[in-house]
Amino acid sequence: MKCHGGIAVALLLLICFKEVRSDGNIKIRTATPFDAEELLGIYSYYIVNTAVTYELEVPSAEDFRRRIEKTLKKYPYIVAERDGRITGYAYAGVFKDRAAYERSAETSIYVDVNEKRQGTGTALYRELEKRLADMGIRNAYACIASTDNDDEYLNHDSIRFHEKQGYTLVGKFHKCAEKFGREYDMVWMEKIIG
C-alpha cells in the first residue's frame, strides 16, 4: 500500500476494522505496521530467552515494521487481541522462491508467553489457514526449532501445537543451528489446507 500521511492511517484502520473476526473473547484482525513495537515485544522474549527462534539479535522496531509491510504485500499477517491487547500474531511467507511453489506457504506464529494454552494460537492458525486457502494456497509448512532432549531454552511444545492443528512431520535437519552454545535441530511440518 503506497499511501502517505493521514490517508494511509485511515485506510489501515478501515482495513483492520473491516477484517476483525471474533473467536470467543479473542479478536483476530490484520496486522498493520503500527503494531510493530507491540509484536516485537512478544517476539523479543523468544529471541532473548529461548531457542524457539534462531534469530540471535532483537531487530529494531523499524526493521520489524518493514518485515510486516513486506509480508502484507502478498501474504496474511494477523494479530490476536484480548481485551484490546495484542496477545499473539501469525503470518505466512514464501515457502520457496520459485513459481512452481506458488500454492505453498510457510507459516509462523508467536504468542505472548503469558497467553499460552488460552486458545490464542489455535484461533490465529484457524484464521491464517482460512485466509491462505482463500488465496489458493494448498500446502502450509512450518519450520520449527527442535531438540532431542528438552532444555531450559527449547522443548517440544511447538511441535505438539502443530500436531494438534493437523500438521505432520515431513523432515528433520540435525544440529543445523547453534544458540546459547548448544546445537539444535530443525523440523519441517506440513498441513494440506486447500
Side-chain angles (χ1 to χ4, degrees), residues 11-79:
L11 285 172
L12 287 169
L13 290 174
L14 180 62
I15 289 168
C16 291
F17 179 75
K18 186 177 179 183
E19 294 187 15
V20 170
R21 297 187 202 280
S22 183
D23 189 345
N25 61 349
I26 301 169
K27 290 187 170 54
I28 308 291
R29 66 167 172 82
T30 299
T32 76
F34 301 109
D35 295 319
E37 288 186 30
E38 206 167 346
L39 301 184
L40 184 56
I42 292 170
Y43 183 52
S44 63
Y45 171 85
Y46 293 98
I47 297 171
V48 172
N49 300 294
T50 78
V52 168
T53 175
Y54 291 148
E55 191 152 5
L56 301 178
E57 301 290 330
V58 176
S60 71
E62 185 55 36
D63 286 342
F64 207 76
R65 186 173 290 109
R66 281 193 290 269
R67 292 180 190 187
I68 294 169
E69 290 169 344
K70 181 180 178 184
T71 299
L72 285 170
K73 288 179 182 176
K74 184 172 180 181
Y75 293 100
Y77 202 129
I78 58 177
V79 300

Side-chain angles (χ1 to χ4, degrees), residues 81-187:
E81 294 181 332
R82 187 190 314 273
D83 301 323
R85 186 177 65 83
I86 294 177
T87 57
Y89 65 98
Y91 61 94
V94 173
F95 169 64
K96 289 287 185 186
D97 195 18
R98 299 284 186 271
Y101 293 109
E102 282 293 309
R103 293 192 176 191
S104 298
E106 182 179 344
T107 61
S108 294
I109 184 169
Y110 291 92
V111 174
D112 185 299
V113 68
N114 299 310
E115 285 287 323
K116 290 184 174 183
R117 295 175 180 81
Q118 303 294 315
T120 301
T122 297
L124 281 165
Y125 254 29
R126 186 178 297 132
E127 180 64 20
L128 183 66
E129 289 170 3
K130 180 191 177 308
R131 292 183 187 202
L132 288 171
D134 289 349
M135 292 172 53
I137 301 293
R138 292 188 305 203
N139 296 35
Y141 294 96
C143 179
I144 303 169
S146 177
T147 181
D148 289 334
N149 301 305
D150 290 2
D151 63 29
E152 66 268 32
Y153 302 114
L154 187 62
N155 57 39
H156 289 85
D157 285 357
S158 187
I159 293 171
R160 285 190 285 270
F161 168 78
H162 282 82
E163 287 172 342
K164 283 180 66 177
Q165 305 309 312
Y167 285 70
T168 57
L169 183 67
V170 292
K172 181 174 184 176
F173 295 84
H174 302 273
K175 301 186 185 325
C176 60
E178 185 176 331
K179 190 171 181 179
F180 306 120
R182 300 176 186 196
E183 293 179 323
Y184 290 103
D185 304 330
M186 185 216 17
V187 300

